[in-house]
Amino acid sequence: MRTFIAALLGAIVLFFWQAASHMALPIGEMGFRAPQNEDAVIQAVASGTPQSGIYALPYIDMERYEDEAAQKAWAEKARANRFSFVVVADPPADPASMGPQLGKQFVSNFLGALIVAFLLVATAWGFGARVLGSLGFGIFGWLLNIVPQWNWYRFPADFMLGGLLDQGIGWLLAGIPIAWWLGRR
């Protein structure tokens, strides 16, 4: 029960940090840009992406990657055009309603905090080391999730920095109540 409560406290702190970093601070939007002609881009996405999914442009089907002619044509197209990584989803029923996303985010935060608390309770570390351990988990997640997006899909460096700030500060702050609760007698 002690681990569960520590995780709940950490998840609450992390949730409110993420709300602040995305709504009050510019951290959550680092790397995002507005297109010059949004309506034209929206039309192109609607006509060129027949279903929800992730689209990388220029695209080559991995089954055709071994075909030398197909690979050469793709490479020429890739050198001549800007790379795009586009997530396409069906429109939500109510775009202004964030209730379902907030619920999923809190559950995700709680499960992450539960893993962190479960591992930290197994250590003989004191308060400070546990807080730093929580920070380490945040940086670990960033290294394995955000950095590969920069490396493989060319996400901008400021997006990567925003992710580091969001995860690093968030898990440092979440580590405080987790370490405090785990250290109680």
Side-chain angles (χ1 to χ4, degrees), residues 24-154:
L25 302 172
I27 294 171
E29 294 183 4
M30 290 176 74
F32 283 71
R33 307 285 186 274
Q36 287 185 352
N37 187 344
E38 183 176 320
D39 292 335
V41 173
I42 288 173
Q43 276 192 317
V45 168
S47 67
T49 56
Q51 60 190 29
S52 294
I54 298 173
Y55 295 85
L57 305 169
Y59 180 78
I60 184 170
D61 188 332
M62 293 315 275
E63 292 177 7
R64 297 186 60 217
Y65 198 77
E66 296 300 321
D67 177 351
E68 193 172 318
Q71 187 182 56
K72 184 178 179 191
W74 169 79
E76 287 175 15
K77 189 186 280 188
R79 274 192 286 279
N81 293 283
R82 297 180 74 119
F83 177 81
S84 298
F85 184 88
V86 181
V87 178
V88 177
D90 293 331
D94 181 4
S97 173
M98 292 191 298
Q101 289 94 335
L102 291 173
K104 291 176 201 170
Q105 186 64 45
F106 186 80
V107 169
S108 171
N109 289 350
F110 175 71
L111 293 174
L114 191 59
I115 292 169
V116 168
F118 179 76
L119 293 172
L120 290 178
V121 77
T123 70
W125 295 348
F127 175 81
R130 284 181 172 158
V131 172
L132 291 177
S134 181
L135 167 64
F137 283 112
I139 293 172
F140 175 79
W142 172 78
L143 285 169
L144 295 180
N145 185 23
I146 304 295
V147 172
Q149 292 173 344
W150 163 79
N151 181 39
W152 294 104
Y153 302 115
R154 304 181 189 135

